[in-house]
Amino acid sequence: MIPLSVAWDDIGGLVDAHERFLAGARVEADVRGSVLESWKRCRSAGLQAHHVLLPYEQDLTLDERFLRAADPVLAELTASLADMGMTVALCDPRGRMIQRLGGDRALRDRLDEVNFAPGFDASEAVAGTNGVGTALAERGPIYVVGREHFADCLQPFACAGSPVRNPLSGRIEAVLDLTCLRDDGDPTMLRLVRAAARNIEGRLLDQATERERALLAAYRRAGFDAGGALGSSGHPAPGHGIGRDGDSLGRIDLAVLRERAEELIASPNRTLDEVPLSGGRVATLLRRQVMGAAGESGVAVEARILGGPRLSGLGLPTSPPVAGRTASGPAASGAPAAEVPAAEAPAFDASAPSPVATSPAVVRAVVPPYSPTPQPAATVGDILGAAESRLLLVGEPGVGRLAVLARRRLELLHEAGVRIGTTLDVTRTAEELAEVAVPRFADFVAVDLPDAVLRGEEPEELGGRSALRRVAIRAVRKQPHNLYDVGDTVEYVPSTPQARSLETTQSVMESVLAKAGGWLAQDPERLERVLAAGVHSLITVPLRARGTTLGVVSFYRSEKPAPFEDDDLSLAQELVGRAAICIDNARRYTREHNTALALQRSLLPKGRPEQSAVEVAYRYLPAQAGVGGDWFDVIPLSGARVALVVGDVVGHGLHAAATMGRLRTAVHNFCSLDLPPDDLLTHLDDLVGRLDRGEGWAVESTQADSGIVGATCLLAVYDPVSRRCTLTRAGHPLPAVVAPDGTVEFVDLPSGQPLGLGGMPFETVELELAEGSQLVLYTDGLVEDRLRDIDSGLDRLRSVLAVSDRAPEDTCEAVLDALLPARQSDDVALLVARTHVLGPERVARWDLPSDPAVVSRARTAVTGQLAAWGLDDLAFTTELVVSELVTNAIRHATGPVQLRLLRDRALICEVSDGSSTSPRLRRARTEDEGGRGLFLVAQLTERWGTRYTPDGKVIWAEQPLP
């Protein structure tokens, strides 16, 4: 053997990991996950590593049939390990040792010292981490070596354990363990013990098959012997024959019959059942007891069809009627068969060509109310009309019960797979889990999650005292004694099953809640009322997905349903495991959706910019399926003008949102250059084309951007002085203009191609708008969806807008109420702007000749206008600005010169001329005679710039008002 455990202890970090864990330190990097989880369970159970006391019980044994299957395997395994210093232990499903085989004298003495011997309890709850108890807790194979044992006294050993399951019910029947000294340990022990467990399970399956053969043989003997008594007369009564030759049953009818036969086998207090079949026929099923030659006790179910086809279509062995025998005979009495709780063979399907063990049918059982109840003294002839019958199923009562339970559990799992996770909403997914489990599995279900999961965040490590929120509740009836309601904060005390589940990440089952003091400690007074109301058992399962605990689910049963058992624990874990993946997917989607939405909202305007040209209101509603690339903007321009922009990037998700941010930034930059609207769209079209070709801005990335596919944009520039509005669009829906009297007109604006296609110019339309007109800009998600074309959407929009003297905010609300679908599939951006006018009383204009002498007259005129406006404090600065701008225009430009003052939110000074040459700010050298005037303008004003016109340019400068 390779002394792997020694190297592990010395190199792998386990030398002090155990001590650090007991001191409360984190040891995740040094300890295997399964071992660490076991340590947590041990700490939660209150175990002390230096003091372990194992309870002892004498005369422990296992079921005789199990021992017959296990003894040959154990003998062979013990013989193969005779020279390896290793012992073989067989323990019951509670972890108590039944047998200990093999091992040398020294090893046996060491094991006796720590009470690892027959009769002692090795369950994890009392012995700590070991190959028996931890294999039971993990419900799977486990290898534990050296300091991985929780108890100090077990650390000199290495052990490997594996549960042995019933191959038909899946229940754990025993635990098999191999133990040796630590230095002799090797991970191959795990393969050995797992193979031995599988061999025992195979022999159990063989035993079930032999019992089925014996029961079938007993039935056939009873049918042909005088004592079998399968009928009351030698001939069928007239009109009550089985059917006509050539008739047969379909597969659906056969499946229904076999399903109902399984239920009849599992029902000890019933002897008859009637099954409606297709074509108006009815099948009568009779339950009989049979006894095998070696004492095997079982049940046979016979079938007969009334008014329908011959039962020979079933392909079943025939039991001819025998005269003179009644159902009260020794082998066919109506007395209930004793139910075998842990029988391990399924109901035998006699239609098979040879008797073999088969798994229970997985079909949905629909059982109509049972009405025929024969008297104990009734004969088979009275029940079946003295007709011949056919064998349908042979099996054991306990196995029939297992078959029915297994089918129902599989149906529940199938339904869970269909109904859980239909949405990507965390809360709704939790509700679906509760709806599936009640009432078919539990009477009351509660789902508790941390707030971080509801927000889509990665949850922190949950412990017993973690604060959770009750997300979903489902009950058979209203429970006035609920400890918490939906929305309440839940913090479980450490002794509760829920806290233990969170701490150990393992499921906890309390079959008798009245004895679960840790559960009662949460709220003794109230939980006593819960017990009084009939709640008797509980299963708690942690919601875990991808190694992360997301919350905990509590299943309760009350009143009539039987308490939870081991198979129910497995089913609960399977249900919660499926739901956990769906909840984690919903959480991740929520996180990604919130991230994309936060990105998109961060790229949209944060508020209304300061400007006086229009009064604006806007709405942005992201699609419920995911964020998109819609945006809008209100951008103040020089000369008191304003630009209104609405755009739409095709597609959804982070890429569309990021592209929208790029385009919005580009529009702002182009607007700062005071470009005409059509020129601005031309530049934007070129940018989108370059982004589509992968010529993005990511310098370090070697991958091209994924294709944008397309983007649309609408741009309107409004001048409050002239009341002129210039519009242009690139494949975007038409804007609407609402006159002050309520008249609505969609602007006849050339469409233009979407951005990114290139090669075509964009056209503009110029309108003169009356004061108080509303300009309505929107994206296509408002007027178009899968159930409505754009023409009907525009007609609806026109009718909603046709109202006079309505505020922009009210217009937004009315439009969304009328046009927004219940679940929108696309983003919606809506921008409504009501125009204002900058009247003549706030505008002063002078036409100046190209004569240097006019500069002084310009200064005088400006000073007088400022005095009239009450802005004398700005006179000195404005004189300097006007003097410099007018002098530059006369000296360096051509054509007529015009000076204009605008009193808006700021004092705007504009000088226009006929030249397209723009002045440039520069730093004058000491010996330069000029070049300082524009520098002074930049220093004395808040901002300045150049705006080009069809006739030349405008140099402007703004000063804040006092």
Side-chain angles (χ1 to χ4, degrees):
M1 290 284 183
I2 302 174
L4 177 63
S5 57
V6 176
W8 199 340
D9 280 353
D10 295 339
I11 300 174
L14 280 174
V15 175
D16 62 337
H18 187 261
E19 287 72 15
R20 288 188 289 115
F21 173 80
L22 295 177
R26 297 176 65 91
V27 294
E28 280 78 357
D30 301 324
V31 184
R32 288 187 295 144
S34 57
V35 173
L36 181 59
E37 298 302 330
S38 175
W39 287 4
K40 291 180 179 179
R41 291 193 295 268
C42 296
R43 181 171 61 187
S44 178
L47 290 184
Q48 297 179 358
H50 63 280
H51 181 70
V52 173
L53 179 63
L54 303 185
Y56 174 79
E57 294 184 45
Q58 58 183 355
D59 300 328
L60 295 175
T61 187
L62 290 173
D63 181 81
E64 182 182 351
R65 286 187 298 164
F66 181 87
L67 291 177
R68 285 203 307 270
D71 285 344
V73 177
L74 296 180
E76 181 180 355
L77 180 62
T78 303
S80 65
L81 300 175
D83 299 330
M84 297 185 181
M86 193 172 298
T87 186
V88 180
L90 179 67
C91 302
D92 69 8
R94 291 175 50 185
R96 300 170 302 181
M97 190 178 296
I98 306 298
Q99 297 179 22
R100 194 183 71 190
L101 308 172
D104 55 28
R105 181 70 182 179
L107 176 61
R108 292 198 300 269
D109 290 344
R110 294 288 298 274
L111 292 175
D112 289 340
E113 290 175 3
V114 297
N115 290 333
F116 195 74
F120 286 97
D121 190 341
S123 62
E124 190 181 75
V126 297
T129 309
N130 68 88
V132 175
T134 305
L136 275 174
E138 295 282 339
R139 302 181 68 85
I142 187 71
Y143 176 67
V144 183
V145 56
R147 288 184 171 87
E148 289 186 327
H149 288 88
F150 184 83
D152 295 340
C153 62
L154 297 180
Q155 292 182 2
F157 304 99
C159 56
S162 176
V164 182
R165 296 178 180 270
N166 185 291
L168 300 175
S169 69
R171 178 177 297 143
I172 295 177
E173 297 286 346
V175 182
L176 194 58
D177 172 87
L178 301 181
T179 300
C180 63
L181 294 176
R182 183 185 64 180
D183 293 346
D184 297 329
D186 191 281
T188 55
M189 296 165 58
L190 192 61
R191 292 201 297 272
L192 292 174
V193 73
R194 196 182 315 177
R198 283 200 294 263
N199 289 339
I200 297 175
E201 292 167 357
R203 292 179 61 85
L204 286 172
L205 190 61
D206 292 340
Q207 284 185 7
T209 304
E210 292 172 3
R211 290 177 63 80
E212 287 176 348
R213 292 193 182 103
L215 290 175
L216 182 59
Y219 177 85
R220 286 172 170 166
R221 285 196 304 272
F224 289 102
D225 294 339
L230 294 181
S232 59
S233 64
H235 305 282
H240 291 280
I242 296 298
R244 299 177 177 86
D245 291 335
D247 292 340
S248 63
L249 291 177
R251 286 181 299 176
I252 295 179
D253 286 339
L254 287 173
V256 171
L257 283 173
R258 289 166 186 162
E259 178 181 314
R260 297 291 289 275
E262 287 178 2
E263 296 186 2
L264 195 57
I265 288 176
S267 305
N269 297 320
R270 293 171 58 191
T271 56
L272 272 180
D273 196 1
E274 285 191 353
V275 183
L277 301 177
S278 61
R281 297 166 296 181
V282 176
T284 302
L285 304 183
L286 175 66
R287 182 182 193 270
R288 298 177 181 277
Q289 285 185 291
V290 292
M291 184 73 70
E296 300 90 349
S297 175
V299 173
V301 175
E302 299 172 353
R304 183 217 170 200
I305 304 251
L306 297 178
R310 185 179 178 86
L311 233 66
S312 58
L314 290 169
L316 304 176
T318 302
S319 300
V322 179
R325 307 301 296 176
T326 69
S328 59
S333 69
E339 186 170 352
V340 183
E344 311 311 334
F348 179 75
D349 186 349
S351 65
S354 60
V356 294
T358 57
S359 298
V362 184
V363 292
R364 185 173 180 84
V366 182
V367 184
Y370 174 70
S371 55
T373 308
Q375 299 298 322
T379 66
V380 177
D382 296 331
I383 297 170
L384 297 181
E388 72 172 324
S389 56
R390 296 293 190 272
L391 175 65
L392 186 60
L393 287 179
V394 171
E396 298 180 68
V399 176
R401 171 181 171 272
L402 291 176
V404 173
L405 291 178
R407 181 172 62 248
R408 290 173 180 172
R409 286 166 177 162
L410 288 173
E411 289 172 2
L412 182 61
L413 289 177
H414 171 73
E415 186 175 351
V418 173
R419 292 178 54 187
I420 298 177
T422 59
T423 69
L424 287 172
D425 180 83
V426 172
T427 299
R428 180 58 194 148
T429 304
E431 292 171 349
E432 290 169 344
L433 168 61
E435 291 169 1
V436 167
V438 175
R440 297 175 61 182
F441 178 68
D443 296 320
F444 176 75
V445 174
V447 183
D448 304 321
L449 305 175
D451 288 336
V453 172
L454 297 176
R455 295 191 299 266
E457 302 171 1
E458 196 76 28
E460 298 179 357
E461 182 177 353
L462 296 180
R465 302 290 295 185
S466 299
L468 306 176
R469 189 167 301 280
R470 179 63 50 86
V471 175
I473 286 177
R474 189 76 172 183
V476 173
R477 57 186 177 276
K478 182 162 181 63
Q479 303 277 350
H481 50 263
N482 287 347
L483 186 60
Y484 300 102
D485 290 325
V486 172
D488 290 348
T489 300
V490 185
E491 187 171 335
Y492 292 105
V493 300
S495 62
T496 59
Q498 290 87 349
R500 285 150 51 199
S501 289
L502 293 172
E503 177 69 23
T504 64
T505 69
Q506 296 293 319
S507 303
V508 176
M509 182 173 66
E510 296 286 359
S511 298
V512 184
L513 274 179
K515 299 180 180 179
W519 176 72
L520 288 168
Q522 179 74 19
D523 189 338
E525 181 179 351
R526 191 165 190 175
L527 292 182
E528 287 289 353
R529 296 200 301 269
V530 172
L531 293 176
V535 174
H536 54 66
S537 58
L538 163 69
I539 289 178
T540 64
V541 184
L543 272 160
R544 285 183 59 81
R546 302 179 179 93
T548 302
T549 302
L550 305 174
V552 65
V553 184
S554 302
F555 300 92
Y556 293 86
R557 280 186 180 172
S558 61
E559 299 181 359
K560 292 183 179 180
F564 288 117
E565 53 190 26
D566 286 344
D567 289 351
D568 295 315
L569 181 63
S570 299
L571 179 58
Q573 291 171 335
E574 182 69 20
L575 279 174
V576 174
R578 296 186 181 199
I581 295 298
C582 296
I583 288 177
D584 192 53
N585 289 338
R587 178 193 66 81
R588 289 168 175 257
Y589 169 79
T590 301
R591 180 186 62 190
E592 297 300 329
H593 181 75
N594 290 343
T595 300
L597 193 58
L599 171 63
Q600 186 178 40
R601 291 194 180 278
S602 71
L603 297 174
L604 290 171
K606 298 297 187 296
R608 297 176 176 85
E610 294 186 359
Q611 50 83 33
S612 302
V614 292
E615 176 189 352
V616 297
Y618 53 82
R619 296 290 187 275
Y620 171 74
L621 291 92
Q624 295 189 15
V627 299
D630 292 16
W631 90 93
F632 63 90
D633 239 323
V634 179
I635 306 173
L637 302 177
S638 63
R641 299 169 306 135
V642 66
L644 306 174
V645 188
V646 172
D648 184 3
V649 175
V650 176
H652 294 87
L654 284 174
H655 179 71
T659 302
M660 176 270 290
R662 290 179 173 184
L663 299 187
R664 180 171 177 255
T665 301
V667 170
H668 271 265
N669 291 335
F670 294 147
C671 284
S672 68
L673 299 176
D674 267 321
L675 297 176
D678 51 343
D679 287 352
L680 190 150
L681 284 190
T682 300
H683 284 78
L684 199 62
D685 175 62
D686 179 64
L687 173 63
V688 173
R690 287 188 285 113
L691 292 178
D692 244 344
R693 294 190 297 270
E695 302 172 17
W697 299 337
V699 177
E700 297 181 0
S701 177
T702 59
Q703 296 182 349
D705 290 315
S706 60
I708 295 173
V709 179
T712 65
C713 185
L714 172 63
L715 173 64
V717 176
Y718 174 69
D719 187 344
V721 178
S722 64
R723 295 189 289 111
R724 307 291 294 179
C725 182
T726 305
L727 302 99
T728 185
R729 64 173 179 151
H732 203 80
L734 290 171
V737 175
V738 184
D741 62 359
T743 304
V744 180
E745 179 182 354
F746 288 101
V747 181
D748 187 12
L749 182 62
S751 173
Q753 59 190 8
L755 299 173
L757 300 181
M760 295 294 290
F762 296 97
E763 301 183 44
T764 61
V765 169
E766 190 170 304
L767 306 174
E768 184 172 324
L769 302 178
E771 184 176 8
S773 299
Q774 288 192 5
L775 191 62
V776 181
L777 286 65
Y778 52 89
T779 54
D780 59 357
L782 181 68
V783 295
E784 185 180 24
D785 59 30
R786 290 172 296 192
L787 303 177
R788 178 181 60 191
D789 61 36
I790 192 169
D791 290 334
S792 61
L794 292 176
D795 291 341
R796 181 64 178 153
L797 178 61
R798 182 192 296 273
S799 64
V800 174
L801 294 176
V803 176
S804 62
D805 196 25
R806 184 163 58 186
E809 286 287 345
D810 296 336
T811 300
C812 284
E813 290 297 329
V815 169
L816 293 182
D817 289 344
L819 278 82
L820 199 64
R823 180 177 176 84
Q824 62 195 72
S825 58
D826 196 5
D827 290 15
V828 172
L830 173 65
L831 179 63
V832 178
R834 182 163 62 181
T835 62
H836 296 310
V837 173
L838 204 62
E841 72 281 1
R842 302 172 67 183
V843 180
R845 183 184 294 106
W846 298 274
D847 292 323
L848 305 176
S850 296
D851 182 0
V854 81
V855 175
S856 61
R857 296 199 300 271
R859 288 198 298 265
T860 301
V862 167
T863 301
Q865 185 62 55
L866 293 178
W869 284 343
L871 298 177
D872 297 294
D873 292 344
L874 299 179
F876 178 74
T877 302
T878 306
E879 285 186 35
L880 289 177
V881 171
V882 168
S883 178
E884 178 59 33
L885 295 183
V886 171
T887 299
N888 281 344
I890 294 173
R891 179 177 299 177
H892 302 291
T894 60
V897 177
Q898 186 182 79
L899 170 64
R900 188 171 73 161
L901 288 183
L902 304 176
R903 183 188 176 189
D904 191 33
R905 292 179 177 271
L907 179 64
I908 304 171
C909 177
E910 296 182 343
V911 175
S912 59
D913 57 55
S915 172
S916 60
T917 303
S918 174
R920 182 170 56 89
L921 181 66
R922 63 185 180 88
R923 183 179 296 277
R925 293 173 295 181
T926 306
E927 62 274 13
D928 289 344
E929 295 183 0
R932 299 177 179 83
L934 205 54
F935 177 78
L936 289 175
V937 171
Q939 297 299 312
L940 294 173
T941 60
E942 190 172 60
R943 62 192 189 113
W944 71 280
T946 302
R947 179 172 74 249
Y948 292 95
T949 67
D951 301 323
K953 68 176 183 297
V954 176
I955 308 297
W956 56 269
E958 291 185 5
Q959 302 175 68
L961 296 179

